[in-house]
Every structure is written in structure tokens, then in C-alpha cells.
Amino acid sequence: MAWFRNLIHISGLKSSVKVNPRNMSFTTALSHFSTLPSPPSATAHNYYSGLGPTKPDERPRVVVLGSGWAACRFMKGLDTSLYDIVCVSPRNHMVFTPLLASTCVGTLEFRSVAEPIGRIQPAVSTAPGSYFFLANCTGLEADKHVVRCETVTDGVNTITPWKFDIAYDKLVIALGAEASTFGIHGVKENAIFLREVHHAVEIRRKLLLNLMLSDVPGISEDEKRRLLHCVVVGGGPTGVEFSGELSDFIMRDVRQRYAHVKDYIHVTLIEANEILSSFDDRLRRYATSQLTKSGVRLVRGVVKDVKSQKIVLNDGTEVPYGLLVWSTGVGPSPFVRSLEVPKSPGGRIGIDEWLRVPSMQDVFAIGDCSGFLESTGKPVLPALAQVAERQGKYLASLLNGIGKAGGGHANCAKDAEFGGPFVYKHLGSMATVGRYKALVDLRQSKEAKGLSLAGFVSWFIWRSAYLTRVISWRNRFYVAINWLTTLVFGRDISRI
Amino acid sequence: MAWFRNLIHISGLKSSVKVNPRNMSFTTALSHFSTLPSPPSATAHNYYSGLGPTKPDERPRVVVLGSGWAACRFMKGLDTSLYDIVCVSPRNHMVFTPLLASTCVGTLEFRSVAEPIGRIQPAVSTAPGSYFFLANCTGLEADKHVVRCETVTDGVNTITPWKFDIAYDKLVIALGAEASTFGIHGVKENAIFLREVHHAVEIRRKLLLNLMLSDVPGISEDEKRRLLHCVVVGGGPTGVEFSGELSDFIMRDVRQRYAHVKDYIHVTLIEANEILSSFDDRLRRYATSQLTKSGVRLVRGVVKDVKSQKIVLNDGTEVPYGLLVWSTGVGPSPFVRSLEVPKSPGGRIGIDEWLRVPSMQDVFAIGDCSGFLESTGKPVLPALAQVAERQGKYLASLLNGIGKAGGGHANCAKDAEFGGPFVYKHLGSMATVGRYKALVDLRQSKEAKGLSLAGFVSWFIWRSAYLTRVISWRNRFYVAINWLTTLVFGRDISRI
């Protein structure tokens, strides 16, 4: 009790301080520490059994791997009176990806597009058997109904990651995909992807650093031009929206706040084929003309090599850059590649019409990490937020049905009624191209007929649509406030 | 012109794209690059002459070192029709320090307390002869009227820092102070200070990581208690406000969003003497009782050693911690220590009644880095924002007067009329203690009589006072919005 004896309250004030019971217990807890030589800490060699199998009289446990659109929509829809939920992910929030490009230049703030899991499904923070674990899934033993995990301790070196197991009754794999580099050398080292909030933070910091450094005496004209050359590779919606945001930022904020270097900053968008290939020709023409008007240079080219200050195209052209953003699409993650299950075309986890992984009992896969098996006769769906969201919603109602019918526990749903299979109906695509202009394509497929719009009205639809889809009221409010302040005061340029 | 020949517009859309003159010039610029073997880059070996002395027919140049309260208030007040301003600082924003503690737990957002220099004094981003340079000052040659600088390129490895010189007509040193460790081993390595936005980011990230890791299976009870033990060293306003914010966060948000671990988290505030020693006894008693009620343990102790998972007090008590915040006051920075000028008591740059550095022509020092020389017979002023702000304001009007009288250029103000000396009148102190309670002490000194308040009314005064003092309307608006959303939705817990 050395600690307790040494606890002296601020002496002059002693008389007025009441030691309440809560503090007493804490004191006792602390005294417990000081008698130990050093607090025991979990190490990587330790393997903890974690959460064991649920008993028949306990609530069945659904383990969800991932925290993207699919996982979050699923967790939101799952009936927590039927199931305990355990979510395993290296990040504790969902990223509202369609608005991520806007955060890179400060149109929106980072936190306005990040939604904590605990706000999407409060049970993980409060219900006794439900949890969120900040960890990566490292293995799957389907016959034992167990996933192996390892904690994520990035940025902190006073604690060593440790491993643990979680037994599941139902497993939902919603790990998403990872940015593809097509095996091009130097992409991972030198380019920044645009898939997570920390990517957007990195882009914003680098852009502001380059803007400031290019204004310092001693820099050559060439180096200044290089530092302020922003290159975007990939002409899909992300690449186009980011280019549009960047040119808005240059035209409005750089001219005003970095007047000394405003003539040196340029944006180039490199795409091997056509930009926005999923949109109709008229919209693509409109996007091209809008981007060009905003000063974005559109270049058709294939990147061969990425070095630290320049990229090399297939025809040998060298393009110096100060900021390189890579958004050329996605491919399966290492964990998905390592899974020994039948795969869909493209290497995703193969699923049947009910989103089940057929070779494993009680395992489902949704979102970008999964694709219909060829045997289903259905095409692999595009890696879109709306596909993932729809699958999450479908699977939640499927598992709610099974849970109600008493099939929630492991191996109890073999003969269950699964209801109708998952059917995807494309609702249309949207993309903003900057300067209060956007494209809205409401056709169900590229060949189908339907409404397509471009211009200010689309931009207004785009903003309203997203504003109503951001999940919490808090973030809806912040997105609206961010848009308003950007309009009134311009974007924030502090580099923090 | 290899680059230009290879520039092929998205082919299907070629017809609709007009290559405007602005793009043409950019293309030419790029083609220039591709003929070079590699773009020349400035290296640390290169030394650039930077900005040379101003000519008599040019506007005189004021160089400001730093971007804190003193520097920013000075720049805001300086007449840009009389002077060019060059600001040199490693950060491009001012931190609104009194509200920084609130950002650590998400009551306020980081950007709400950071004000870009370009918004405080727009001339640095737009006027032809005024600049902001992201750099550190590395040396001062007072006889040549030159400062030596080196660029800051943190976080980016594709560009090497380079050195350059700036000639000044007037130099204002406002470099602030740095956190003191009192030579205690391990503080710099293991504790987090609370002086910059990146410190607050680090505290928030670590706190959320510890909260999440303590919920993962495999962690021992002791380790969980250690991870969630937040220790604050230093009972000044910063330490007290941070402890108050932390206990608010625990009582409101942790209980709701980290219900599994809510009984394991505790806050200890360690102070060698009395907390809030500059406030009157009644207010200190009130603060002590408020903090204790909120579950903050107040401990009188002197830290002897800081290890990675525990601190050791003078009497041998070991206190395990998961988060350690150090706010024990400030001392002179290495640059100030290296300056060979007469110093004030405490090692600050010695100044006379007009804030001049007497041994150097045209050099002034304001804020925490400066103190009255003993020969002035005045006491060294406390390291407070209000002192720095008042000095910045005074010096701006002093230099405006000199400039108007034609003494703006180097060595032209030797016989100028300096007007009245700087007189400091203390307006009072404020500190919040959490739970909508604050202290307001409006006495001019500890011995003087005057108004002192504690409680909800003070808290309301505290908030209103800060809200009107945050420099830009944008940030005033955001602080109000942040406070509102914290009240309605709770604090944001996404770890981004």
C-alpha cells in the first residue's frame, strides 16, 4: 500500500476534499500495481483463446470481418435481440468513400466522412456479448468455426500486438478489396491511394507542403513546377472527382492564398482508356469538357514505372510530379488471396445466390471481397458502395430470418429456409466534376435507356443525395456545415 | 517535344475538347522537363542568397520569426502599406492555445483552433514582397541585418531541406518557448506535451487506441488498468483544463461508447506544489473539489523518472500509465539559448521597455521568448497568451509609427521617437474545470482585490470570452458548432 500512503492531497485544500468511494477503489487498484515488479504485458508469443463457442442457451454470435459499406450496413440491420455482434477491423470507423475526395483539399473535414462503428451499431460498445475489436483477421478455421486475429497497435510502441481466437456461429467476411497497382514498380512507395481517411490526410499535407516549399527562396523554376504538378492516375469516378476538387481548390483558394505560385500549379489526369467508362457518351463528353475548362489536362497513357519524382509512361515520356494519386481500381486483398475456397472470376471469394461461401458452413461474404461463382450463372458485380450496401442489407434480413427460426447457432441452419436469392438492381451512377457541376446517370446498365443529367442540377442532386445517405445526423449536419463554410470562407489551408 | 507529341486526348472525345492557351503553355512547360535528365533539386549543400537587402526606394521589410500569439497579433496590426512582411515559421498556422486541451478528447475539432497565417495577415499570401516561409531560423547576423533559415520538409522524403538567407530592415523575434522537462529522464521519449495541434492529435489517437485495445480478449486486468490510466503532470491551467476535459469525456462518452471498460479508466493529476497557483484560494478550493467530484485524483508529488509504462516519483512510488501528458511550464528554446545577447532572469532574450534587444540594431523580441532585462527594473512577465498578444499589438503600433516617420529601413530609426514604453496590465485569468464549470479571476495580481467567480456563470463567461477572441469568423463559427454538436451528439470517437 506504498502508493496509498504516499497519496497526499493538495495540502492547503485538504479539508475541503472528500475522498469518495469511487476514488478509494481506484487507490486500491493502483496500490496493487506498485507491488508488482512491472505490469505484465501481452506479447506476440502469447496466444489467447479469446471468445469461446457460445452455449446453446446463449445468444448466437455473428462475427463480422471489416468495417466498410457492406459490414456496416449489415451490422446496422442485424437484430441484436437475436444475435451478439463481434466486429473485427483495423479501423474503428466506416469511411463514407464517395465524399473522401472532397476532404483532400479541405472542402469537407476528415471527420465529416468518418462514422464510428459504435454509432452505426451501438450494441458493439454497450451490449455485454457484443464487441468491436481493433484487430486484423489472420486466419480462418472453418471446420472449428474459429477466426484467428491479431491486434493492431500502430503508432504506439509501448504495447506489443497479441493474437487471439474468436469462435463464431455465423461469419460474415466483408474485408473489401485493396487498390491495384497492376504490378507496376514504385506505385506503393511513391503514389498515394485514395481509399482511407489517412490517405486523404497524407494528400492534403503533401499538397500544402509543396505549395509552401515552392514559395521559398532558392527553389528553381523547374523544381517549383515539379512540386506543384499534381498527377492523378485512373479516370474512374474517384480520379475524376479528385481532379475536379483539386482544380476547384486551385481556382478558388490557391489563387487567393498562394498568389505567388498560382501560375505554377497544374493537374494532369492520366487514363489508359476512357474516363468514366461506365457513364454514357454524352456525360463523358461533358465531363471531359468541364475538366479541360478547369485546367485539368487529360492524358491517355499507360504508366510503366513510378520513380520518386517522376513517372514513366509506356512510350518513354517522363512526367515529373510533386503529388501522385493512384486510383486505378481494386483487386483482392492478401487475406482473400490466401483463403483456400473456390473463387469467382477476378479472384474474389466465390459466393452463391444467398451470399454464402458454399464450401464452408455458416460463412458468408459480401462487398468488394466477394463475387458470384461462375456456377451461379450471374456476373461478378462491380466494386461499388451501392452493391456492398445492398448485400449488407440483404444478408442482415436473411440472418434475422434464420435467427428467428432458431437457426442462429453454428451448424443449425443447414436445412433452414433462406428465402429469395440476392438480386442486384443498379440505381445509377453519380460523379462530380468540380465547379458546382456533376453527372447523374440513372440507367440500369450501359446499354439500357434512362435518364442521364449533367450540370448544376445534377450537382445539386448529387449533394442532396449524399447528404441524405451519410449515415448519422451528426455527419449530415457537419457535411452541410462544411459545404457552407467552404462556400463562404473558402477551404482551410492550415497544415496540421 | 516528346511529351507534347505523346499527349493524346481521350480519343473518342477529341472533337469536343478545345486546347486553350493556358493548357498549351503548361504543355510547353512539361516538354521542357522531359528534355532534362532529371529535374534539378536544391540540396542541403546549396546555400541561397534568398531575399537581399531592400533598396531605399523599396518598401522596408519586417521579418517575423514565429507564428504564435505574439507574432500573429503583431502581423495583424502591422500596416502593410508601410512594410513588407516576411514570416518564418515551421508551422503555417497559429494555435489558439487556450482551447487546445478541448481538442484532445474531441470536444472541439483540431481545425477549429488552428488559424492559417494567411487568414490573419492576407498580405503574406498575396502582396508581391510579403511571404510566409515554412522554415526554421538557424542563425542571426545582426551586424549584417540577415537571418539564416532552413526549410522544413517533415514527412516528405522526395525533397531535401535547403538553406537560405533573408535580409531584414526590422526583425521581430517571437519564437515562443518550449516545454520544460526539468532534466527529468524519459520525459521527451514517453510523455506528450500539449502545445501544438499535433500533440493533441497524438493524445487523441493514443487515448482511443488504449480504449480499444483494453477491450480485446487476452489482456490482463492489470494491463487494462495501466492502459486506461491517464496521468497528467503539472497543475497549471493547461493540466487542469485537460484533466477536466478528460473526466468529462469519461463520464459522458466513455460510459456510453466504451461501456465494457468504463470502470477501468482513471485520471491522475500530479503537481509538486499547488494546482492553479496563480488563482485565489477560494477558486483553487473550488477547482480541487470539482475535479475530485469528477473522479480526477489529485496527487502531490515530484516526478523523478519516466519509463515507457510507468513514472517513478521522488519517494519511490511507481505509477503505471497508458497515457502521460506533461504540462509543467516552459523554458527557453535551443535557438534562444544559443543567441549571444544579454538575457533576462530565466534565460529569455533580454529586452528594454520598448521591447528592443538593446545590443542589436532594429531587433525586437516579444512573447514567451523575451523578458525585461534586470536593468529595466521590471519583472519578467508570465508566459501567457495575453502578454504575448499585448506585446504584439504594442510593437505593431510602435513600428507603424516609425515607418510613418520614415524610419522603416535598416539603421534608420536610431534617433526615432519611440513613444511610451510597453506597460502590461493583467486582465485576469480563466480556467475551465469540466462539467460546465470554470474559474474566472479578474484580479490584477495575486495580492490585489477584485472579482473572482467560479461555477456555471464563469463557464459561460469563459466560453463567450474565448468565442469572441478566436481570430477568424470561420473559427468562431466552428467552435460554436463543435460545442453544439458535442452537447447534442457527444464527442467523435473515430480514430483517424
Side-chain angles (χ1 to χ4, degrees):
Chain A
M1 296 291 276
W3 164 261
F4 184 60
R5 279 196 307 276
N6 290 319
L7 263 181
I8 303 160
H9 283 288
I10 308 297
S11 62
L13 307 163
K14 214 182 233 168
S15 56
S16 71
V17 177
K18 278 177 253 160
V19 176
N20 69 32
R22 187 167 163 230
N23 289 336
M24 281 305 290
S25 70
F26 175 44
T27 312
T28 319
L30 270 180
S31 73
H32 175 55
F33 271 134
S34 59
T35 56
L36 288 169
S38 85
S41 78
T43 72
H45 306 291
N46 292 345
Y47 211 106
Y48 296 94
S49 58
L51 303 178
T54 56
K55 298 192 182 69
D57 58 340
E58 290 175 336
R59 211 179 279 177
R61 180 186 303 136
V62 178
V63 174
V64 181
L65 307 180
S67 59
W69 280 93
C72 288
R73 187 63 189 82
F74 169 75
M75 287 191 278
K76 192 181 178 187
L78 197 67
D79 186 341
T80 51
S81 68
L82 297 171
Y83 293 100
D84 283 339
I85 306 179
V86 174
C87 177
V88 178
S89 174
R91 62 169 201 221
N92 81 338
H93 56 272
M94 180 194 140
V95 181
F96 197 81
T97 41
L99 294 180
L100 190 59
S102 300
T103 65
C104 300
V105 295
T107 310
L108 293 179
E109 276 314 318
F110 303 121
R111 278 169 200 282
S112 307
V113 303
E115 192 72 40
I117 310 295
R119 207 146 58 199
I120 295 169
Q121 178 46 273
V124 297
S125 9
T126 50
S130 292
Y131 297 96
F132 169 79
F133 295 147
L134 192 76
N136 279 311
C137 177
T138 53
L140 166 57
E141 290 192 33
D143 48 338
K144 292 183 187 159
H145 274 60
V146 159
V147 281
R148 305 206 173 286
C149 304
E150 182 167 353
T151 53
V152 171
T153 56
D154 67 289
V156 173
N157 52 12
T158 57
I159 187 157
T160 320
W162 68 93
K163 295 179 174 175
F164 59 95
D165 289 351
I166 312 170
Y168 59 81
D169 290 299
K170 310 286 173 206
L171 177 68
V172 177
I173 306 175
L175 288 163
E178 63 169 26
S180 29
T181 63
F182 302 105
I184 298 166
H185 177 259
V187 175
K188 279 203 174 134
E189 295 76 12
N190 301 303
I192 309 177
F193 300 116
L194 188 44
R195 298 180 51 75
E196 301 283 348
V197 174
H198 66 86
H199 294 142
V201 173
E202 196 184 344
I203 290 171
R204 188 153 162 190
R205 282 182 63 82
K206 195 161 185 178
L207 184 63
L208 290 175
L209 182 71
N210 289 354
L211 274 165
M212 287 188 283
L213 285 181
S214 59
D215 201 13
V216 175
I219 197 159
S220 68
E221 288 283 297
D222 282 349
E223 181 71 352
K224 202 187 263 196
R225 229 175 276 274
R226 173 186 80 77
L227 271 183
L228 295 179
H229 189 202
C230 306
V231 176
V232 183
V233 179
T238 306
V240 166
E241 292 192 348
F242 176 68
S243 307
E245 285 286 349
L246 204 52
S247 68
D248 273 4
F249 174 67
I250 292 168
M251 289 202 294
R252 162 129 193 220
D253 301 87
V254 172
R255 284 191 188 174
Q256 194 183 332
R257 309 228 175 253
Y258 294 96
H260 303 123
V261 296
K262 66 179 191 300
D263 297 330
Y264 291 86
I265 187 163
H266 294 286
V267 183
T268 300
L269 174 60
I270 299 179
E271 164 61 49
N273 301 303
E274 289 176 345
I275 65 162
L276 298 174
S277 53
S278 67
F279 286 78
D280 88 4
D281 282 354
R282 196 174 63 82
L283 294 186
R284 280 192 291 116
R285 263 198 303 279
Y286 180 82
T288 307
S289 115
Q290 279 297 319
L291 288 173
T292 311
K293 266 189 213 158
S294 314
V296 176
R297 170 148 295 280
L298 300 171
V299 171
R300 176 168 286 190
V302 175
V303 176
K304 193 172 71 180
D305 191 14
V306 178
K307 299 186 191 296
S308 73
Q309 304 196 343
K310 63 185 175 189
I311 54 179
V312 184
L313 300 186
N314 248 358
D315 57 15
T317 315
E318 296 191 341
V319 185
Y321 68 85
L323 174 73
L324 177 59
V325 174
W326 196 268
S327 63
T328 56
V330 294
S333 66
F335 179 79
V336 168
R337 285 200 299 271
S338 76
L339 271 188
E340 288 176 358
V341 294
K343 301 281 169 71
S344 78
R348 302 185 189 188
I349 300 170
I351 49 173
D352 68 12
E353 294 93 326
W354 292 272
L355 314 182
R356 295 180 295 191
V357 179
S359 56
M360 295 168 167
Q361 194 56 239
D362 296 321
V363 178
F364 303 82
I366 53 178
D368 296 358
C369 71
S370 69
F372 286 122
L373 285 163
E374 273 183 294
S375 57
T376 63
K378 292 187 170 196
V380 172
L381 296 171
L384 291 175
Q386 60 175 310
V387 174
E389 199 216 2
R390 227 73 62 72
Q391 289 185 330
K393 189 178 172 188
Y394 167 85
L395 187 58
S397 97
L398 188 152
L399 285 190
N400 287 344
I402 291 174
K404 265 180 212 134
H409 281 278
N411 298 312
C412 288
K414 281 176 190 159
D415 311 310
E417 178 53 58
F418 274 69
F422 176 73
V423 178
Y424 177 68
K425 191 173 162 229
H426 189 66
L427 289 182
S429 313
M430 294 191 287
T432 172
V433 290
R435 302 209 296 179
Y436 309 115
K437 300 285 194 306
L439 319 175
V440 176
D441 191 342
L442 297 177
R443 299 168 310 147
Q444 279 183 42
S445 72
K446 227 186 146 171
E447 291 69 38
K449 289 200 171 170
L451 192 63
S452 65
L453 295 169
F456 178 78
V457 172
S458 303
W459 177 84
F460 192 79
I461 293 176
W462 177 84
R463 289 226 157 166
S464 314
Y466 280 135
L467 206 50
T468 54
R469 286 181 69 193
V470 173
I471 283 172
S472 72
W473 279 103
R474 181 192 177 281
N475 277 357
R476 264 178 229 177
F477 177 70
Y478 264 107
V479 167
I481 291 287
N482 289 163
W483 275 334
L484 179 71
T485 48
T486 295
L487 198 68
V488 177
F489 302 105
R491 295 168 179 85
D492 183 57
I493 53 156
S494 26
R495 184 172 183 267
I496 59 173
Chain B
M1 295 293 276
W3 165 262
F4 184 60
R5 280 197 305 276
N6 289 320
L7 264 180
I8 303 160
H9 284 287
I10 307 299
S11 62
L13 308 163
K14 214 183 235 169
S15 55
S16 70
V17 177
K18 278 178 253 159
V19 176
N20 70 32
R22 186 166 163 232
N23 288 335
M24 279 305 289
S25 69
F26 174 45
T27 313
T28 319
L30 270 179
S31 73
H32 175 56
F33 271 132
S34 59
T35 56
L36 288 170
S38 84
S41 77
T43 73
H45 307 292
N46 292 344
Y47 210 106
Y48 296 96
S49 57
L51 303 179
T54 56
K55 298 191 182 72
D57 59 338
E58 289 176 336
R59 210 179 280 177
R61 180 187 302 138
V62 178
V63 174
V64 181
L65 307 180
S67 59
W69 279 93
C72 288
R73 187 62 189 81
F74 170 76
M75 288 191 278
K76 193 180 179 189
L78 197 67
D79 186 341
T80 51
S81 68
L82 297 171
Y83 293 101
D84 283 339
I85 306 180
V86 174
C87 177
V88 178
S89 173
R91 60 168 203 222
N92 81 339
H93 57 273
M94 181 196 139
V95 182
F96 197 80
T97 41
L99 294 180
L100 190 58
S102 301
T103 65
C104 300
V105 294
T107 311
L108 293 179
E109 274 317 317
F110 303 119
R111 277 167 201 282
S112 307
V113 304
E115 193 71 40
I117 309 295
R119 207 147 57 198
I120 295 170
Q121 178 47 272
V124 298
S125 11
T126 50
S130 293
Y131 297 96
F132 170 80
F133 295 147
L134 193 76
N136 279 311
C137 177
T138 55
L140 166 57
E141 291 192 31
D143 48 338
K144 292 184 188 159
H145 275 59
V146 159
V147 282
R148 306 207 172 285
C149 305
E150 182 167 353
T151 52
V152 171
T153 56
D154 67 289
V156 172
N157 51 10
T158 57
I159 186 156
T160 320
W162 68 93
K163 294 178 175 175
F164 59 96
D165 289 351
I166 313 171
Y168 59 82
D169 290 299
K170 310 287 175 207
L171 177 67
V172 178
I173 307 175
L175 288 163
E178 63 167 27
S180 25
T181 63
F182 301 104
I184 299 164
H185 178 259
V187 176
K188 279 204 174 131
E189 295 75 13
N190 301 304
I192 310 177
F193 300 117
L194 188 45
R195 298 181 51 75
E196 302 282 348
V197 174
H198 67 86
H199 294 143
V201 173
E202 197 184 341
I203 291 171
R204 188 152 162 190
R205 282 182 64 83
K206 195 161 185 179
L207 184 62
L208 290 175
L209 182 70
N210 288 353
L211 274 165
M212 286 187 283
L213 285 181
S214 60
D215 201 14
V216 175
I219 197 159
S220 69
E221 288 283 298
D222 282 347
E223 181 71 351
K224 201 187 263 197
R225 227 175 278 274
R226 174 187 80 78
L227 271 182
L228 295 179
H229 189 203
C230 306
V231 175
V232 183
V233 179
T238 307
V240 167
E241 292 192 347
F242 176 67
S243 306
E245 285 286 350
L246 204 51
S247 68
D248 273 4
F249 174 67
I250 292 168
M251 289 202 295
R252 161 127 193 222
D253 302 86
V254 172
R255 285 191 187 173
Q256 194 182 332
R257 310 229 176 251
Y258 295 96
H260 303 123
V261 297
K262 68 178 190 297
D263 297 330
Y264 291 86
I265 187 163
H266 293 288
V267 183
T268 300
L269 174 60
I270 300 179
E271 164 61 49
N273 302 301
E274 289 176 344
I275 66 162
L276 298 174
S277 54
S278 68
F279 286 79
D280 87 4
D281 282 355
R282 196 175 62 83
L283 294 185
R284 280 192 289 116
R285 264 198 302 278
Y286 181 81
T288 308
S289 116
Q290 279 296 320
L291 289 173
T292 311
K293 266 190 214 160
S294 313
V296 176
R297 171 148 297 280
L298 300 170
V299 171
R300 176 168 284 190
V302 175
V303 176
K304 193 171 71 180
D305 191 14
V306 177
K307 300 186 189 298
S308 73
Q309 304 194 343
K310 64 184 174 189
I311 54 178
V312 184
L313 300 186
N314 249 357
D315 59 13
T317 316
E318 297 190 340
V319 185
Y321 68 85
L323 175 73
L324 177 61
V325 174
W326 197 267
S327 63
T328 56
V330 294
S333 66
F335 178 78
V336 168
R337 285 200 299 271
S338 77
L339 271 189
E340 288 177 356
V341 294
K343 300 282 168 72
S344 77
R348 303 186 188 185
I349 300 170
I351 49 174
D352 68 11
E353 294 93 327
W354 293 271
L355 313 183
R356 294 180 297 191
V357 180
S359 56
M360 295 167 166
Q361 195 56 238
D362 297 320
V363 178
F364 302 81
I366 52 177
D368 296 358
C369 71
S370 70
F372 286 122
L373 285 162
E374 273 182 293
S375 57
T376 63
K378 293 188 169 195
V380 172
L381 296 171
L384 291 175
Q386 59 175 310
V387 174
E389 200 217 2
R390 227 74 61 72
Q391 290 184 331
K393 190 179 172 188
Y394 167 86
L395 187 58
S397 99
L398 188 151
L399 285 190
N400 287 344
I402 291 175
K404 265 180 211 135
H409 281 279
N411 298 312
C412 287
K414 279 175 192 161
D415 310 311
E417 180 50 60
F418 274 70
F422 175 74
V423 178
Y424 176 67
K425 193 175 160 226
H426 189 65
L427 289 182
S429 313
M430 294 191 286
T432 172
V433 289
R435 302 210 296 178
Y436 308 115
K437 300 285 194 306
L439 318 176
V440 175
D441 190 343
L442 297 177
R443 299 168 310 146
Q444 278 183 42
S445 73
K446 227 187 149 173
E447 290 70 36
K449 290 198 171 172
L451 190 64
S452 66
L453 295 168
F456 179 77
V457 172
S458 302
W459 177 85
F460 192 79
I461 293 176
W462 177 83
R463 290 228 157 165
S464 313
Y466 280 136
L467 206 49
T468 54
R469 287 180 68 192
V470 172
I471 284 173
S472 71
W473 280 103
R474 182 191 176 281
N475 277 357
R476 265 178 227 178
F477 178 70
Y478 264 108
V479 167
I481 291 287
N482 288 164
W483 276 333
L484 179 71
T485 47
T486 296
L487 198 68
V488 176
F489 302 106
R491 294 168 180 85
D492 184 56
I493 54 157
S494 26
R495 185 174 183 267
I496 59 173

